[in-house]
Amino acid sequence: MSRIKTVLGFAVGFGVAMLLTDAAQAQGNYPNRPIRIIVPYPAGGIVDIVARAVTEQVGRDWKQTIIVEARPGGNSNIGTAAVARSEPDGYTWLVTGPAALVNPTLYKDAGWDALKDLKCVGLAVWNQSVALVHPSMPASTIKEFVEIARKKPGELNFGNPGTGSSIDLSAQKLFQAANIKLTNVGYKGQPQALIDLMTNLMHFEIVSLELALPHIKAGSVKPLAVMTDKRVGDLPDVPTIAEAGFPEATYVPWYGIYVQAGTPDAIAGKINDGINKALQNPEVQRQLAVANIPGKPMPLADLAALMKADHEKLTKVIATSGMALQ
């Protein structure tokens, strides 16, 4: 009997050792097959630009195939949930914005828990945006607009490109800081909302800088403040939201690259190194600069801290803003 136990113990131990060896080899050989990048938004948008500029450079550096797959739907929930439920092997990445952190608070069946199911392995870019009104609006500053809005609670329209989006969150922070109430008008993305602002159907919007700049230069919309922590080069005369009198509304959304939370540290570390190297590539920097979405390399520990801090901050914004649970 003791010999049987010894043999069985050896077999089990040998099997475990082989599994550990296989796992170590798999991590050491990573990546040895194509990597899939899921973008939970339609192709051609800001997130898609980020995904292709950064991750395709990682693929070139690693000499490995990178497949970017747009998987929109459910306000980014479908694509995000797919990554949260994927194998934790480092071969499925997610590129997305604040929705990854806030949607589980907004949607009963989002399909993931931000801090339990996802691990941020790279900061892709910071998104710059600008507060806009129609040129006919008798306000040249945020403070002047706020005074008008306070006198007409609920009468002015806010063109919202998506509940829980970075734009929506920026707007809600401003509305809370300024103590104003606008009527929320929902859109499926920024372009149509911006068109309606230019035709004066909407009264106020926050728009990504890249999308807004041509229309600002054409005079079809009027900028009141940039929603950033410092002025932007393309609009040197437009104050930041803090300079305009509402520092509490300062919020610069960021787009991160995530993997399933159970991904081994060795693989997560290699991905992080690859993304940080790509962000320092001159061509990637050029592409991001053209789109007014600057990148910033960050280590894993800082990314985890940023993810946790923004999760706490943004869920508080949702809880106090009256955003409806979907």
Side-chain angles (χ1 to χ4, degrees):
M1 177 65 75
S2 60
R3 176 170 176 76
I4 293 175
K5 288 183 178 178
T6 300
V7 172
L8 287 174
F10 173 79
V12 171
F14 180 77
V16 170
M18 288 298 293
L19 287 173
L20 291 174
T21 299
D22 290 345
Q25 288 178 343
Q27 292 180 33
N29 294 334
Y30 177 88
N32 57 18
R33 55 187 170 88
I35 295 168
R36 183 175 53 149
I37 314 294
I38 291 183
V39 177
Y41 298 99
I46 292 291
V47 184
D48 190 53
I49 292 171
V50 171
R52 294 180 188 281
V54 179
T55 65
E56 289 182 359
Q57 182 59 46
V58 175
R60 286 190 287 271
D61 290 339
W62 286 355
K63 296 180 173 55
Q64 185 57 257
T65 301
I66 299 286
I67 302 167
V68 179
E69 174 187 339
R71 194 181 293 191
N75 197 18
S76 81
N77 287 345
I78 293 174
T80 304
V83 177
R85 298 167 183 164
S86 67
E87 287 296 319
D89 54 13
Y91 287 95
T92 304
W93 301 3
L94 171 74
V95 182
T96 190
L101 304 180
V102 303
N103 277 14
T105 303
L106 280 170
Y107 295 86
K108 296 177 181 177
D109 57 351
W112 75 93
D113 180 297
L115 300 183
K116 292 181 179 179
D117 297 326
L118 296 173
K119 178 186 293 185
C120 190
V121 290
L123 176 64
V125 296
W126 299 94
N127 186 27
Q128 301 184 111
S129 57
V130 56
L132 303 173
V133 293
H134 188 268
S136 64
M137 176 67 67
S140 298
T141 67
I142 282 286
K143 283 189 174 180
E144 290 175 355
F145 175 78
V146 165
E147 288 303 313
I148 294 171
R150 283 175 179 167
K151 294 174 182 177
K152 300 179 178 181
E155 294 183 32
L156 301 182
N157 295 329
F158 160 57
N160 185 353
T163 300
S165 65
S166 61
I167 297 298
D168 187 21
L169 292 165
S170 294
Q172 297 302 331
K173 284 181 70 69
L174 174 60
F175 299 162
Q176 290 178 30
N179 192 27
I180 57 176
K181 179 178 176 58
L182 275 67
T183 295
N184 183 89
V185 180
Y187 289 86
K188 292 183 178 179
Q190 296 185 60
Q192 186 58 52
L194 182 57
I195 289 172
D196 284 357
L197 178 68
M198 290 189 289
T199 56
N200 210 19
L201 291 175
M202 294 296 106
H203 301 108
F204 177 84
E205 289 180 11
I206 295 176
V207 178
S208 295
L209 191 60
E210 183 219 9
L211 182 60
L213 274 175
H215 305 290
I216 292 172
K217 293 176 180 178
S220 47
V221 291
K222 180 165 55 176
L224 301 184
V226 288
M227 310 298 289
T228 56
D229 52 4
K230 59 183 179 181
R231 295 198 184 197
V232 299
D234 288 305
L235 299 172
D237 297 327
V238 178
T240 67
I241 192 66
E243 291 173 331
F246 298 97
E248 316 95 304
T250 302
Y251 169 55
V252 185
W254 51 278
Y255 296 117
I257 298 176
Y258 299 82
V259 294
Q260 210 282 334
T263 302
D265 290 342
I267 291 179
K270 185 166 185 178
I271 297 171
N272 180 244
D273 290 342
I275 293 167
N276 288 342
K277 180 182 177 181
L279 285 169
Q280 297 173 68
N281 179 281
E283 176 58 22
V284 172
Q285 291 179 343
R286 185 196 68 78
Q287 291 180 56
L288 297 179
V290 167
N292 283 291
I293 42 178
K296 180 182 178 182
M298 289 180 71
L300 286 173
D302 290 355
L303 290 167
L306 176 63
M307 185 178 173
K308 183 174 184 294
D310 258 30
H311 179 266
E312 293 175 356
K313 178 169 58 180
L314 297 178
T315 50
K316 183 178 179 180
V317 170
I318 291 171
T320 56
S321 69
M323 290 187 197
L325 186 68
Q326 306 295 311

